Amino acid sequence: MSNQVNITPLESQVIEYLNKELAPYFGEFFSDVDCNDIAKDLGINVNIIKGAVGSLVKKGILETEETGSGFDVVLFTDQDAR
């Protein structure tokens, strides 16, 4: 049985974006990026980005963290271990 996860082209685009944006925070459990940032920078509707992020959370690649400000930041799962 394979442990491979199928990634859609949109999910791949989100991962590539986050890889670049979150690189300074690898090794830390920190992010200042939320779905609104991703949507704005990629020029994609925020609801579509939320769907892609939600799918990547279900696949165990990303997680979100409530900040108390009304925005959930997006991080890689185990980002602090990178």
Side-chain angles (χ1 to χ4, degrees), residues 25-55:
Y25 307 119
F26 289 168
E28 303 174 29
F29 192 74
F30 178 80
S31 171
D32 58 358
V33 177
D34 70 9
C35 287
N36 293 309
D37 298 322
I38 300 168
K40 180 182 173 193
D41 291 345
L42 295 181
I44 300 171
N45 181 284
V46 70
N47 290 324
I48 293 171
I49 293 298
K50 286 179 180 181
V53 167
S55 177

Side-chain angles (χ1 to χ4, degrees), residues 6-28:
N6 291 324
I7 303 294
T8 69
L10 176 59
E11 291 170 343
S12 180
Q13 193 175 3
V14 169
I15 289 169
E16 287 176 26
Y17 171 84
L18 289 171
N19 230 355
K20 181 183 76 170
E21 292 297 314
L22 296 178
Y25 307 119
F26 289 168
E28 303 174 29

Side-chain angles (χ1 to χ4, degrees), residues 31 33-36 63-74:
S31 171
V33 177
D34 70 9
C35 287
N36 293 309
E63 58 186 84
T64 59
E65 178 83 11
E66 171 60 49
T67 63
S69 66
F71 297 101
D72 292 350
V73 294
V74 181

